[in-house]
Amino acid sequence: TLLDSRGSAELGDLKEKRGAEPSRESTAIPVAQVFGAASFSDDEDACDSDGGDPIPPNRKAAEDLQEDEEFWTKAQEALEDRGRRERLLKFMKRHRFKDVNSSSGWFFNFRFPLHAAVEDNDAEMIRILLHFKAKTKLKDASGWSARQLARKRNVNGSHDAVLQLLNDHAMARRKRAAARRAAKEGKADANASVEGGEGKEEEKEVAPAASEEKPNDDHGSPEGI
């Protein structure tokens, strides 16, 4: 019929048009999907907004490094001090001393820890005893100090290390005493200069007052009249 022929013709025209137009699905360009691409872009935007390079999270600040260094330095010093104490306790127990400045023995043969260390020719123990404030002026039953005993025992340089430690300690002690005296004298000089300046100011204040009183005494006294 006429309607069927017309309908088939229109259907054919539509099929031809549809075949001529490219499909949207076929022409669309697939976007490559990269894992983490969104996170990278966000980080780059954050860096651009901050205006600087990102700081690595594993890098410590200079203050943190300094604190760590101070901590480990103190820990090392504590370990060394502990080792010195343990060695000192063993030495004192072996020679029957109560502390670094107590004597051991009878009245005719007593001695002090420094003397025992000198007799043992133990330079490291001398250093430890001096570190724990052992007094070098103490004398044994023979009237010898530790340094004098080291000089007596020194044969062909056998006690050179011990003598060097004791001499260095004596020199450092003299330097400290001289520094204390100089500081005390400087303080006394400063106080004297301050007192002298105050005395001069008081004299200057008293002088004008006396000059003002003199005319009144001359003219107001009965002798002046």
Side-chain angles (χ1 to χ4, degrees):
T1 61
L2 181 61
L3 292 174
D4 294 335
S5 61
R6 187 176 295 177
S8 60
E10 291 178 357
L11 182 59
D13 294 338
L14 290 173
K15 288 181 178 180
E16 291 177 357
K17 290 180 180 179
R18 186 174 181 181
E21 294 179 356
S23 61
R24 293 182 179 178
E25 295 178 358
S26 61
T27 57
I29 299 173
V31 179
Q33 298 295 326
V34 180
F35 180 74
S39 61
F40 284 129
S41 62
D42 295 339
D43 294 340
E44 291 176 357
D45 295 339
C47 294
D48 294 338
S49 61
D50 294 337
D53 296 333
I55 299 174
N58 59 348
R59 188 176 70 187
K60 291 185 177 182
E63 296 180 356
D64 296 338
L65 294 175
Q66 186 176 0
E67 290 179 358
D68 292 344
E69 185 176 358
E70 292 177 355
F71 170 78
W72 288 114
T73 301
K74 291 180 180 179
Q76 185 67 25
E77 291 176 355
L79 289 174
E80 292 177 357
D81 188 69
R82 181 178 177 181
R84 285 192 293 262
R85 288 179 182 276
E86 290 178 354
R87 184 169 178 178
L88 177 62
L89 289 174
K90 291 179 181 179
F91 171 82
M92 294 176 66
K93 185 177 181 180
R94 184 171 71 252
H95 292 284
R96 298 180 181 180
F97 292 112
K98 293 182 179 179
D99 57 62
V100 295
N101 291 314
S102 65
S103 62
S104 175
W106 299 95
F107 68 95
F108 57 88
N109 63 354
F110 69 88
R111 60 180 182 171
F112 293 90
L114 278 176
H115 296 84
V118 169
E119 292 175 357
D120 294 343
N121 198 12
D122 192 348
E124 184 60 27
M125 183 52 60
I126 294 287
R127 185 181 287 106
I128 293 173
L129 288 169
L130 294 176
H131 175 75
F132 287 104
K133 310 300 181 183
K135 297 179 180 179
T136 57
K137 291 184 177 181
L138 297 175
K139 296 182 179 181
D140 61 2
S142 301
W144 298 91
S145 66
R147 187 163 58 161
Q148 291 171 343
L149 181 62
R151 289 173 181 171
K152 181 182 178 181
R153 293 291 184 94
N154 190 22
V155 179
N156 296 327
S158 60
H159 288 63
D160 283 346
V162 171
L163 273 173
Q164 185 65 35
L165 286 173
L166 294 172
N167 291 332
D168 292 343
H169 178 76
M171 187 178 296
R173 188 179 59 193
R174 285 195 295 268
K175 287 182 179 180
R176 288 194 299 268
R180 285 194 297 268
R181 286 195 299 269
K184 189 179 295 184
E185 291 175 358
K187 187 176 181 180
D189 294 340
N191 293 334
S193 61
V194 170
E195 292 176 357
E198 292 178 354
K200 290 180 180 179
E201 290 179 358
E202 291 178 357
E203 291 177 359
K204 290 180 180 179
E205 292 177 356
V206 171
S211 61
E212 291 176 358
E213 292 176 356
K214 284 181 180 179
N216 296 332
D217 293 340
D218 295 340
H219 298 289
S221 62
E223 295 179 355
I225 298 172

